[in-house]
Amino acid sequence: MTLQPRCEDVETAEGVALTVTGVAQVKIMTEKELLAVACEQFLGKSVQDIKNVVLQTLEGHLRSILGTLTVEQIYQDRDQFAKLVREVAAPDVGRMGIEILSFTIKDVYDKVDYLSSLGKTQTAVVQRDADIGVAEAERDAGIREAECKKEMLDVKFMADTKIADSKRAFELQKSAFSEEVNIKTAEAQLAYELQGAREQQKIRQEEIEIEVVQRKKQIAVEAQEILRTDKELIATVRCPAEAEAHRIQQIAEGEKVKQVLLAQAEAEKIRRIGEAEAAVIEAMGKAEAERMKLKAEAYQKYGDAAKMALVLEALPRIAAKISAPLTKVDEIVILSGDNSKVTSEVNRLLAELPASVHALTGVDLSKIPLIKKATGAQV
């Protein structure tokens, strides 16, 4: 038998009036004892009468259970609600020989829109939570995106910095290598030119010596010829007195010619040696000028300090050249009755030295502490 229990406007534990409908499947038990109980209860009654009895029993239990539950418990957990009704009603209908095969809640509703309001509230809460979740997710995504961008920019900046440092180091190293190569090339070229000049000088000196030897041999041959002629005159042409006078005259003339030829040869030797030395000096001067040019270009990079070092390096050679004539003087006597005057003259020369060097080279030696101390003492 299929029954449809219905409870209208039944108040729940919260006082909300609900209407609940259900569907129940029941049957008369077939066991002998329970069948006898059912016969005792319903013998002579129609099927509709049996349905009414069981239906009223189910609706009574349904009402009593509705009064103990909240709307949320009934609405949200219908299976548990139906199970509870079945468990409470089964003993009562069982004593009438009736078995409940199944019981389910078909519908739950109210006339004051409580359930719909509850659904709206829940929907609003869910919507609110969803909106909050979306906003928080977007916020976290934005924060994470910003952090990722910042990390990317940091990494890019570090990479660009390393690349720039590597390029700068490469350019500096390349410049240093180029400068070293240029210096070595210039030094090799200068060494080659100097060596070539020395070899040319040696060759020229050998040639001059050969010419001198040839000239001496020619003079010796001419002297021998004079002697031969003199002997021939003595023996065959003139008398002994004339021969003697002529011999003396020829000897004098031969000696004169010999001296002239020797003087000419010596002069030629000196001239050619001078030309060779001049050529060598010119070549060496050009090489030294080129070396000084390269050295000046190198010193130019280091400013006034390099110029001052160059001048200080050249001062001993300048002083040597200036004082060279004094090496031939055996003794120098200064006539002065005042020793302090001699000292003042020396100090005056020392004081004028920086100004002279500055006028010639443009380098101020007075900035050197030792010279500054020496010149300042006399001031």
Side-chain angles (χ1 to χ4, degrees), residues 91-128:
D92 288 343
V93 296
R95 284 191 290 269
M96 293 183 291
I98 302 297
E99 180 184 3
I100 300 175
L101 298 177
S102 67
F103 181 83
T104 58
I105 300 300
K106 183 179 180 181
D107 194 11
V108 177
Y109 61 91
D110 68 294
K111 297 179 180 179
V112 294
D113 296 332
Y114 182 86
L115 292 175
S116 62
S117 299
L118 183 64
K120 290 180 180 179
T121 302
Q122 187 64 27
T123 301
V125 171
V126 172
Q127 185 65 36
R128 180 200 63 192

PDB file of all heavy atoms in Angstrom, residues 91-128:
ATOM      1  N   PRO A  91       7.741   0.823  15.329  1.00  0.00           N
ATOM      2  CA  PRO A  91       7.230  -0.041  16.409  1.00  0.00           C
ATOM      3  C   PRO A  91       5.701   0.019  16.560  1.00  0.00           C
ATOM      4  O   PRO A  91       5.055  -1.020  16.799  1.00  0.00           O
ATOM      5  CB  PRO A  91       7.936   0.519  17.646  1.00  0.00           C
ATOM      6  CG  PRO A  91       9.167   1.172  17.130  1.00  0.00           C
ATOM      7  CD  PRO A  91       8.762   1.755  15.833  1.00  0.00           C
ATOM      8  N   ASP A  92       5.131   1.223  16.399  1.00  0.00           N
ATOM      9  CA  ASP A  92       3.690   1.365  16.578  1.00  0.00           C
ATOM     10  C   ASP A  92       2.922   0.624  15.486  1.00  0.00           C
ATOM     11  O   ASP A  92       1.975  -0.138  15.773  1.00  0.00           O
ATOM     12  CB  ASP A  92       3.284   2.833  16.581  1.00  0.00           C
ATOM     13  CG  ASP A  92       3.732   3.537  17.866  1.00  0.00           C
ATOM     14  OD1 ASP A  92       4.053   2.831  18.835  1.00  0.00           O
ATOM     15  OD2 ASP A  92       3.799   4.787  17.867  1.00  0.00           O
ATOM     16  N   VAL A  93       3.318   0.836  14.228  1.00  0.00           N
ATOM     17  CA  VAL A  93       2.605   0.156  13.163  1.00  0.00           C
ATOM     18  C   VAL A  93       2.935  -1.323  13.141  1.00  0.00           C
ATOM     19  O   VAL A  93       2.141  -2.171  12.671  1.00  0.00           O
ATOM     20  CB  VAL A  93       2.921   0.812  11.790  1.00  0.00           C
ATOM     21  CG1 VAL A  93       2.424   2.239  11.749  1.00  0.00           C
ATOM     22  CG2 VAL A  93       4.411   0.743  11.492  1.00  0.00           C
ATOM     23  N   GLY A  94       4.103  -1.675  13.694  1.00  0.00           N
ATOM     24  CA  GLY A  94       4.468  -3.071  13.767  1.00  0.00           C
ATOM     25  C   GLY A  94       3.588  -3.848  14.721  1.00  0.00           C
ATOM     26  O   GLY A  94       3.295  -5.027  14.488  1.00  0.00           O
ATOM     27  N   ARG A  95       3.136  -3.179  15.769  1.00  0.00           N
ATOM     28  CA  ARG A  95       2.246  -3.853  16.694  1.00  0.00           C
ATOM     29  C   ARG A  95       0.852  -4.078  16.078  1.00  0.00           C
ATOM     30  O   ARG A  95       0.017  -4.804  16.626  1.00  0.00           O
ATOM     31  CB  ARG A  95       2.123  -3.036  17.980  1.00  0.00           C
ATOM     32  CG  ARG A  95       3.369  -3.174  18.883  1.00  0.00           C
ATOM     33  CD  ARG A  95       3.111  -2.573  20.240  1.00  0.00           C
ATOM     34  NE  ARG A  95       3.009  -1.124  20.191  1.00  0.00           N
ATOM     35  CZ  ARG A  95       4.044  -0.295  20.347  1.00  0.00           C
ATOM     36  NH1 ARG A  95       5.252  -0.806  20.539  1.00  0.00           N
ATOM     37  NH2 ARG A  95       3.861   0.998  20.295  1.00  0.00           N
ATOM     38  N   MET A  96       0.621  -3.428  14.955  1.00  0.00           N
ATOM     39  CA  MET A  96      -0.635  -3.655  14.228  1.00  0.00           C
ATOM     40  C   MET A  96      -0.430  -4.634  13.086  1.00  0.00           C
ATOM     41  O   MET A  96      -1.320  -4.844  12.257  1.00  0.00           O
ATOM     42  CB  MET A  96      -1.171  -2.337  13.674  1.00  0.00           C
ATOM     43  CG  MET A  96      -1.623  -1.375  14.771  1.00  0.00           C
ATOM     44  SD  MET A  96      -2.352   0.148  14.123  1.00  0.00           S
ATOM     45  CE  MET A  96      -0.945   0.935  13.409  1.00  0.00           C
ATOM     46  N   GLY A  97       0.778  -5.225  12.994  1.00  0.00           N
ATOM     47  CA  GLY A  97       1.078  -6.177  11.941  1.00  0.00           C
ATOM     48  C   GLY A  97       1.412  -5.521  10.611  1.00  0.00           C
ATOM     49  O   GLY A  97       1.328  -6.168   9.566  1.00  0.00           O
ATOM     50  N   ILE A  98       1.777  -4.263  10.646  1.00  0.00           N
ATOM     51  CA  ILE A  98       2.116  -3.507   9.432  1.00  0.00           C
ATOM     52  C   ILE A  98       3.621  -3.243   9.426  1.00  0.00           C
ATOM     53  O   ILE A  98       4.211  -2.826  10.437  1.00  0.00           O
ATOM     54  CB  ILE A  98       1.328  -2.193   9.344  1.00  0.00           C
ATOM     55  CG1 ILE A  98      -0.183  -2.456   9.379  1.00  0.00           C
ATOM     56  CG2 ILE A  98       1.735  -1.408   8.107  1.00  0.00           C
ATOM     57  CD1 ILE A  98      -0.707  -3.269   8.215  1.00  0.00           C
ATOM     58  N   GLU A  99       4.257  -3.416   8.277  1.00  0.00           N
ATOM     59  CA  GLU A  99       5.698  -3.163   8.098  1.00  0.00           C
ATOM     60  C   GLU A  99       5.883  -1.974   7.167  1.00  0.00           C
ATOM     61  O   GLU A  99       5.243  -1.909   6.113  1.00  0.00           O
ATOM     62  CB  GLU A  99       6.373  -4.405   7.522  1.00  0.00           C
ATOM     63  CG  GLU A  99       7.853  -4.196   7.308  1.00  0.00           C
ATOM     64  CD  GLU A  99       8.494  -5.402   6.634  1.00  0.00           C
ATOM     65  OE1 GLU A  99       7.782  -6.365   6.286  1.00  0.00           O
ATOM     66  OE2 GLU A  99       9.736  -5.368   6.420  1.00  0.00           O
ATOM     67  N   ILE A 100       6.735  -1.024   7.603  1.00  0.00           N
ATOM     68  CA  ILE A 100       7.069   0.141   6.750  1.00  0.00           C
ATOM     69  C   ILE A 100       8.232  -0.261   5.865  1.00  0.00           C
ATOM     70  O   ILE A 100       9.358  -0.475   6.337  1.00  0.00           O
ATOM     71  CB  ILE A 100       7.430   1.368   7.595  1.00  0.00           C
ATOM     72  CG1 ILE A 100       6.265   1.765   8.508  1.00  0.00           C
ATOM     73  CG2 ILE A 100       7.842   2.533   6.699  1.00  0.00           C
ATOM     74  CD1 ILE A 100       6.584   2.909   9.461  1.00  0.00           C
ATOM     75  N   LEU A 101       7.972  -0.369   4.600  1.00  0.00           N
ATOM     76  CA  LEU A 101       9.035  -0.722   3.648  1.00  0.00           C
ATOM     77  C   LEU A 101       9.933   0.474   3.338  1.00  0.00           C
ATOM     78  O   LEU A 101      11.159   0.344   3.232  1.00  0.00           O
ATOM     79  CB  LEU A 101       8.415  -1.256   2.367  1.00  0.00           C
ATOM     80  CG  LEU A 101       7.588  -2.537   2.505  1.00  0.00           C
ATOM     81  CD1 LEU A 101       6.968  -2.931   1.172  1.00  0.00           C
ATOM     82  CD2 LEU A 101       8.422  -3.665   3.050  1.00  0.00           C
ATOM     83  N   SER A 102       9.337   1.660   3.172  1.00  0.00           N
ATOM     84  CA  SER A 102      10.135   2.871   2.893  1.00  0.00           C
ATOM     85  C   SER A 102       9.329   4.088   3.292  1.00  0.00           C
ATOM     86  O   SER A 102       8.098   4.047   3.333  1.00  0.00           O
ATOM     87  CB  SER A 102      10.506   2.951   1.412  1.00  0.00           C
ATOM     88  OG  SER A 102       9.342   3.154   0.629  1.00  0.00           O
ATOM     89  N   PHE A 103      10.075   5.165   3.582  1.00  0.00           N
ATOM     90  CA  PHE A 103       9.444   6.438   3.901  1.00  0.00           C
ATOM     91  C   PHE A 103      10.394   7.545   3.450  1.00  0.00           C
ATOM     92  O   PHE A 103      11.567   7.592   3.835  1.00  0.00           O
ATOM     93  CB  PHE A 103       9.146   6.555   5.394  1.00  0.00           C
ATOM     94  CG  PHE A 103       8.472   7.845   5.761  1.00  0.00           C
ATOM     95  CD1 PHE A 103       7.099   7.985   5.628  1.00  0.00           C
ATOM     96  CD2 PHE A 103       9.210   8.951   6.210  1.00  0.00           C
ATOM     97  CE1 PHE A 103       6.472   9.181   5.966  1.00  0.00           C
ATOM     98  CE2 PHE A 103       8.583  10.142   6.530  1.00  0.00           C
ATOM     99  CZ  PHE A 103       7.215  10.263   6.397  1.00  0.00           C
ATOM    100  N   THR A 104       9.890   8.444   2.631  1.00  0.00           N
ATOM    101  CA  THR A 104      10.697   9.569   2.144  1.00  0.00           C
ATOM    102  C   THR A 104       9.901  10.854   2.268  1.00  0.00           C
ATOM    103  O   THR A 104       8.671  10.832   2.233  1.00  0.00           O
ATOM    104  CB  THR A 104      11.103   9.382   0.678  1.00  0.00           C
ATOM    105  OG1 THR A 104       9.923   9.237  -0.123  1.00  0.00           O
ATOM    106  CG2 THR A 104      11.985   8.149   0.518  1.00  0.00           C
ATOM    107  N   ILE A 105      10.652  11.988   2.415  1.00  0.00           N
ATOM    108  CA  ILE A 105      10.026  13.315   2.462  1.00  0.00           C
ATOM    109  C   ILE A 105       9.890  13.795   1.036  1.00  0.00           C
ATOM    110  O   ILE A 105      10.872  13.897   0.291  1.00  0.00           O
ATOM    111  CB  ILE A 105      10.865  14.294   3.295  1.00  0.00           C
ATOM    112  CG1 ILE A 105      11.014  13.781   4.737  1.00  0.00           C
ATOM    113  CG2 ILE A 105      10.238  15.680   3.279  1.00  0.00           C
ATOM    114  CD1 ILE A 105       9.698  13.606   5.465  1.00  0.00           C
ATOM    115  N   LYS A 106       8.682  14.083   0.640  1.00  0.00           N
ATOM    116  CA  LYS A 106       8.411  14.530  -0.723  1.00  0.00           C
ATOM    117  C   LYS A 106       8.612  16.020  -0.885  1.00  0.00           C
ATOM    118  O   LYS A 106       9.229  16.479  -1.845  1.00  0.00           O
ATOM    119  CB  LYS A 106       6.993  14.130  -1.110  1.00  0.00           C
ATOM    120  CG  LYS A 106       6.622  14.475  -2.540  1.00  0.00           C
ATOM    121  CD  LYS A 106       5.191  14.014  -2.842  1.00  0.00           C
ATOM    122  CE  LYS A 106       4.805  14.359  -4.284  1.00  0.00           C
ATOM    123  NZ  LYS A 106       3.408  13.943  -4.597  1.00  0.00           N
ATOM    124  N   ASP A 107       8.076  16.798   0.076  1.00  0.00           N
ATOM    125  CA  ASP A 107       8.161  18.251  -0.078  1.00  0.00           C
ATOM    126  C   ASP A 107       8.084  18.899   1.281  1.00  0.00           C
ATOM    127  O   ASP A 107       7.437  18.386   2.213  1.00  0.00           O
ATOM    128  CB  ASP A 107       7.033  18.761  -0.979  1.00  0.00           C
ATOM    129  CG  ASP A 107       7.277  20.198  -1.443  1.00  0.00           C
ATOM    130  OD1 ASP A 107       8.414  20.694  -1.223  1.00  0.00           O
ATOM    131  OD2 ASP A 107       6.363  20.807  -2.027  1.00  0.00           O
ATOM    132  N   VAL A 108       8.759  20.074   1.387  1.00  0.00           N
ATOM    133  CA  VAL A 108       8.729  20.901   2.598  1.00  0.00           C
ATOM    134  C   VAL A 108       8.565  22.333   2.147  1.00  0.00           C
ATOM    135  O   VAL A 108       9.391  22.836   1.362  1.00  0.00           O
ATOM    136  CB  VAL A 108      10.001  20.740   3.444  1.00  0.00           C
ATOM    137  CG1 VAL A 108       9.960  21.658   4.654  1.00  0.00           C
ATOM    138  CG2 VAL A 108      10.190  19.295   3.886  1.00  0.00           C
ATOM    139  N   TYR A 109       7.570  23.037   2.641  1.00  0.00           N
ATOM    140  CA  TYR A 109       7.387  24.444   2.287  1.00  0.00           C
ATOM    141  C   TYR A 109       6.614  25.136   3.389  1.00  0.00           C
ATOM    142  O   TYR A 109       6.079  24.500   4.313  1.00  0.00           O
ATOM    143  CB  TYR A 109       6.677  24.581   0.940  1.00  0.00           C
ATOM    144  CG  TYR A 109       5.295  23.983   0.894  1.00  0.00           C
ATOM    145  CD1 TYR A 109       4.171  24.755   1.206  1.00  0.00           C
ATOM    146  CD2 TYR A 109       5.102  22.643   0.547  1.00  0.00           C
ATOM    147  CE1 TYR A 109       2.900  24.183   1.173  1.00  0.00           C
ATOM    148  CE2 TYR A 109       3.853  22.089   0.507  1.00  0.00           C
ATOM    149  CZ  TYR A 109       2.743  22.858   0.814  1.00  0.00           C
ATOM    150  OH  TYR A 109       1.489  22.302   0.800  1.00  0.00           O
ATOM    151  N   ASP A 110       6.541  26.464   3.306  1.00  0.00           N
ATOM    152  CA  ASP A 110       5.825  27.272   4.299  1.00  0.00           C
ATOM    153  C   ASP A 110       5.111  28.379   3.567  1.00  0.00           C
ATOM    154  O   ASP A 110       5.336  28.627   2.374  1.00  0.00           O
ATOM    155  CB  ASP A 110       6.802  27.830   5.336  1.00  0.00           C
ATOM    156  CG  ASP A 110       7.733  28.854   4.723  1.00  0.00           C
ATOM    157  OD1 ASP A 110       8.586  28.473   3.833  1.00  0.00           O
ATOM    158  OD2 ASP A 110       7.645  30.027   5.073  1.00  0.00           O
ATOM    159  N   LYS A 111       4.217  29.039   4.310  1.00  0.00           N
ATOM    160  CA  LYS A 111       3.393  30.086   3.711  1.00  0.00           C
ATOM    161  C   LYS A 111       3.920  31.492   3.985  1.00  0.00           C
ATOM    162  O   LYS A 111       3.296  32.462   3.560  1.00  0.00           O
ATOM    163  CB  LYS A 111       1.965  29.972   4.229  1.00  0.00           C
ATOM    164  CG  LYS A 111       1.296  28.661   3.848  1.00  0.00           C
ATOM    165  CD  LYS A 111      -0.124  28.581   4.412  1.00  0.00           C
ATOM    166  CE  LYS A 111      -0.813  27.274   4.039  1.00  0.00           C
ATOM    167  NZ  LYS A 111      -2.189  27.166   4.594  1.00  0.00           N
ATOM    168  N   VAL A 112       5.003  31.606   4.734  1.00  0.00           N
ATOM    169  CA  VAL A 112       5.547  32.933   5.088  1.00  0.00           C
ATOM    170  C   VAL A 112       6.914  33.182   4.416  1.00  0.00           C
ATOM    171  O   VAL A 112       7.646  34.086   4.812  1.00  0.00           O
ATOM    172  CB  VAL A 112       5.689  33.073   6.617  1.00  0.00           C
ATOM    173  CG1 VAL A 112       4.308  33.071   7.272  1.00  0.00           C
ATOM    174  CG2 VAL A 112       6.564  31.957   7.183  1.00  0.00           C
ATOM    175  N   ASP A 113       7.258  32.383   3.422  1.00  0.00           N
ATOM    176  CA  ASP A 113       8.511  32.519   2.650  1.00  0.00           C
ATOM    177  C   ASP A 113       9.768  32.438   3.526  1.00  0.00           C
ATOM    178  O   ASP A 113      10.804  33.067   3.268  1.00  0.00           O
ATOM    179  CB  ASP A 113       8.529  33.852   1.868  1.00  0.00           C
ATOM    180  CG  ASP A 113       7.427  33.888   0.817  1.00  0.00           C
ATOM    181  OD1 ASP A 113       7.048  32.793   0.350  1.00  0.00           O
ATOM    182  OD2 ASP A 113       6.974  35.000   0.491  1.00  0.00           O
ATOM    183  N   TYR A 114       9.639  31.650   4.612  1.00  0.00           N
ATOM    184  CA  TYR A 114      10.820  31.513   5.479  1.00  0.00           C
ATOM    185  C   TYR A 114      11.945  30.772   4.758  1.00  0.00           C
ATOM    186  O   TYR A 114      13.114  31.169   4.818  1.00  0.00           O
ATOM    187  CB  TYR A 114      10.421  30.769   6.761  1.00  0.00           C
ATOM    188  CG  TYR A 114      11.566  30.616   7.752  1.00  0.00           C
ATOM    189  CD1 TYR A 114      11.842  31.624   8.678  1.00  0.00           C
ATOM    190  CD2 TYR A 114      12.375  29.483   7.751  1.00  0.00           C
ATOM    191  CE1 TYR A 114      12.892  31.481   9.591  1.00  0.00           C
ATOM    192  CE2 TYR A 114      13.416  29.333   8.641  1.00  0.00           C
ATOM    193  CZ  TYR A 114      13.683  30.339   9.560  1.00  0.00           C
ATOM    194  OH  TYR A 114      14.718  30.213  10.453  1.00  0.00           O
ATOM    195  N   LEU A 115      11.549  29.692   4.115  1.00  0.00           N
ATOM    196  CA  LEU A 115      12.565  28.885   3.423  1.00  0.00           C
ATOM    197  C   LEU A 115      13.229  29.647   2.286  1.00  0.00           C
ATOM    198  O   LEU A 115      14.447  29.563   2.072  1.00  0.00           O
ATOM    199  CB  LEU A 115      11.919  27.594   2.891  1.00  0.00           C
ATOM    200  CG  LEU A 115      11.464  26.593   3.959  1.00  0.00           C
ATOM    201  CD1 LEU A 115      10.737  25.426   3.316  1.00  0.00           C
ATOM    202  CD2 LEU A 115      12.652  26.089   4.765  1.00  0.00           C
ATOM    203  N   SER A 116      12.391  30.404   1.542  1.00  0.00           N
ATOM    204  CA  SER A 116      12.995  31.199   0.449  1.00  0.00           C
ATOM    205  C   SER A 116      13.925  32.281   0.980  1.00  0.00           C
ATOM    206  O   SER A 116      14.987  32.565   0.411  1.00  0.00           O
ATOM    207  CB  SER A 116      11.889  31.813  -0.408  1.00  0.00           C
ATOM    208  OG  SER A 116      11.088  32.698   0.380  1.00  0.00           O
ATOM    209  N   SER A 117      13.535  32.892   2.126  1.00  0.00           N
ATOM    210  CA  SER A 117      14.406  33.904   2.745  1.00  0.00           C
ATOM    211  C   SER A 117      15.692  33.266   3.227  1.00  0.00           C
ATOM    212  O   SER A 117      16.790  33.835   3.088  1.00  0.00           O
ATOM    213  CB  SER A 117      13.682  34.587   3.911  1.00  0.00           C
ATOM    214  OG  SER A 117      12.514  35.239   3.465  1.00  0.00           O
ATOM    215  N   LEU A 118      15.525  32.048   3.814  1.00  0.00           N
ATOM    216  CA  LEU A 118      16.726  31.337   4.255  1.00  0.00           C
ATOM    217  C   LEU A 118      17.652  31.045   3.077  1.00  0.00           C
ATOM    218  O   LEU A 118      18.871  31.195   3.166  1.00  0.00           O
ATOM    219  CB  LEU A 118      16.308  30.035   4.948  1.00  0.00           C
ATOM    220  CG  LEU A 118      17.444  29.196   5.539  1.00  0.00           C
ATOM    221  CD1 LEU A 118      18.141  29.960   6.658  1.00  0.00           C
ATOM    222  CD2 LEU A 118      16.897  27.873   6.075  1.00  0.00           C
ATOM    223  N   GLY A 119      17.044  30.684   1.976  1.00  0.00           N
ATOM    224  CA  GLY A 119      17.862  30.420   0.784  1.00  0.00           C
ATOM    225  C   GLY A 119      18.532  31.668   0.267  1.00  0.00           C
ATOM    226  O   GLY A 119      19.683  31.653  -0.166  1.00  0.00           O
ATOM    227  N   LYS A 120      17.765  32.784   0.319  1.00  0.00           N
ATOM    228  CA  LYS A 120      18.363  34.047  -0.144  1.00  0.00           C
ATOM    229  C   LYS A 120      19.520  34.464   0.746  1.00  0.00           C
ATOM    230  O   LYS A 120      20.552  34.944   0.269  1.00  0.00           O
ATOM    231  CB  LYS A 120      17.298  35.142  -0.172  1.00  0.00           C
ATOM    232  CG  LYS A 120      16.246  34.944  -1.262  1.00  0.00           C
ATOM    233  CD  LYS A 120      15.234  36.064  -1.214  1.00  0.00           C
ATOM    234  CE  LYS A 120      14.166  35.872  -2.304  1.00  0.00           C
ATOM    235  NZ  LYS A 120      13.143  36.943  -2.261  1.00  0.00           N
ATOM    236  N   THR A 121      19.276  34.294   2.077  1.00  0.00           N
ATOM    237  CA  THR A 121      20.360  34.669   2.999  1.00  0.00           C
ATOM    238  C   THR A 121      21.606  33.827   2.740  1.00  0.00           C
ATOM    239  O   THR A 121      22.731  34.339   2.675  1.00  0.00           O
ATOM    240  CB  THR A 121      19.888  34.488   4.448  1.00  0.00           C
ATOM    241  OG1 THR A 121      18.736  35.275   4.670  1.00  0.00           O
ATOM    242  CG2 THR A 121      20.991  34.884   5.418  1.00  0.00           C
ATOM    243  N   GLN A 122      21.378  32.527   2.611  1.00  0.00           N
ATOM    244  CA  GLN A 122      22.504  31.641   2.349  1.00  0.00           C
ATOM    245  C   GLN A 122      23.171  31.964   1.007  1.00  0.00           C
ATOM    246  O   GLN A 122      24.395  31.953   0.880  1.00  0.00           O
ATOM    247  CB  GLN A 122      22.031  30.182   2.353  1.00  0.00           C
ATOM    248  CG  GLN A 122      23.156  29.182   2.257  1.00  0.00           C
ATOM    249  CD  GLN A 122      24.074  29.238   3.467  1.00  0.00           C
ATOM    250  OE1 GLN A 122      23.641  29.628   4.554  1.00  0.00           O
ATOM    251  NE2 GLN A 122      25.325  28.862   3.281  1.00  0.00           N
ATOM    252  N   THR A 123      22.294  32.271   0.036  1.00  0.00           N
ATOM    253  CA  THR A 123      22.845  32.636  -1.273  1.00  0.00           C
ATOM    254  C   THR A 123      23.676  33.912  -1.192  1.00  0.00           C
ATOM    255  O   THR A 123      24.754  34.024  -1.798  1.00  0.00           O
ATOM    256  CB  THR A 123      21.697  32.828  -2.271  1.00  0.00           C
ATOM    257  OG1 THR A 123      20.949  31.612  -2.354  1.00  0.00           O
ATOM    258  CG2 THR A 123      22.248  33.184  -3.650  1.00  0.00           C
ATOM    259  N   ALA A 124      23.150  34.897  -0.399  1.00  0.00           N
ATOM    260  CA  ALA A 124      23.888  36.154  -0.237  1.00  0.00           C
ATOM    261  C   ALA A 124      25.219  35.920   0.462  1.00  0.00           C
ATOM    262  O   ALA A 124      26.250  36.498   0.095  1.00  0.00           O
ATOM    263  CB  ALA A 124      23.044  37.164   0.545  1.00  0.00           C
ATOM    264  N   VAL A 125      25.181  35.036   1.507  1.00  0.00           N
ATOM    265  CA  VAL A 125      26.428  34.735   2.215  1.00  0.00           C
ATOM    266  C   VAL A 125      27.425  34.057   1.276  1.00  0.00           C
ATOM    267  O   VAL A 125      28.609  34.405   1.238  1.00  0.00           O
ATOM    268  CB  VAL A 125      26.138  33.843   3.439  1.00  0.00           C
ATOM    269  CG1 VAL A 125      27.454  33.347   4.058  1.00  0.00           C
ATOM    270  CG2 VAL A 125      25.330  34.610   4.466  1.00  0.00           C
ATOM    271  N   VAL A 126      26.921  33.098   0.498  1.00  0.00           N
ATOM    272  CA  VAL A 126      27.794  32.404  -0.438  1.00  0.00           C
ATOM    273  C   VAL A 126      28.338  33.357  -1.495  1.00  0.00           C
ATOM    274  O   VAL A 126      29.526  33.342  -1.850  1.00  0.00           O
ATOM    275  CB  VAL A 126      27.040  31.241  -1.104  1.00  0.00           C
ATOM    276  CG1 VAL A 126      27.880  30.630  -2.215  1.00  0.00           C
ATOM    277  CG2 VAL A 126      26.684  30.186  -0.067  1.00  0.00           C
ATOM    278  N   GLN A 127      27.431  34.240  -1.988  1.00  0.00           N
ATOM    279  CA  GLN A 127      27.870  35.225  -2.980  1.00  0.00           C
ATOM    280  C   GLN A 127      28.903  36.175  -2.410  1.00  0.00           C
ATOM    281  O   GLN A 127      29.899  36.515  -3.060  1.00  0.00           O
ATOM    282  CB  GLN A 127      26.660  36.017  -3.497  1.00  0.00           C
ATOM    283  CG  GLN A 127      26.981  36.988  -4.615  1.00  0.00           C
ATOM    284  CD  GLN A 127      27.436  36.271  -5.873  1.00  0.00           C
ATOM    285  OE1 GLN A 127      26.935  35.200  -6.189  1.00  0.00           O
ATOM    286  NE2 GLN A 127      28.405  36.847  -6.570  1.00  0.00           N
ATOM    287  N   ARG A 128      28.629  36.585  -1.134  1.00  0.00           N
ATOM    288  CA  ARG A 128      29.589  37.480  -0.476  1.00  0.00           C
ATOM    289  C   ARG A 128      30.944  36.792  -0.310  1.00  0.00           C
ATOM    290  O   ARG A 128      31.995  37.366  -0.604  1.00  0.00           O
ATOM    291  CB  ARG A 128      29.040  37.897   0.888  1.00  0.00           C
ATOM    292  CG  ARG A 128      29.962  38.841   1.666  1.00  0.00           C
ATOM    293  CD  ARG A 128      29.625  38.836   3.136  1.00  0.00           C
ATOM    294  NE  ARG A 128      29.839  37.494   3.691  1.00  0.00           N
ATOM    295  CZ  ARG A 128      29.412  37.123   4.896  1.00  0.00           C
ATOM    296  NH1 ARG A 128      28.697  37.954   5.643  1.00  0.00           N
ATOM    297  NH2 ARG A 128      29.644  35.901   5.350  1.00  0.00           N
TER     298      ARG A 128
END
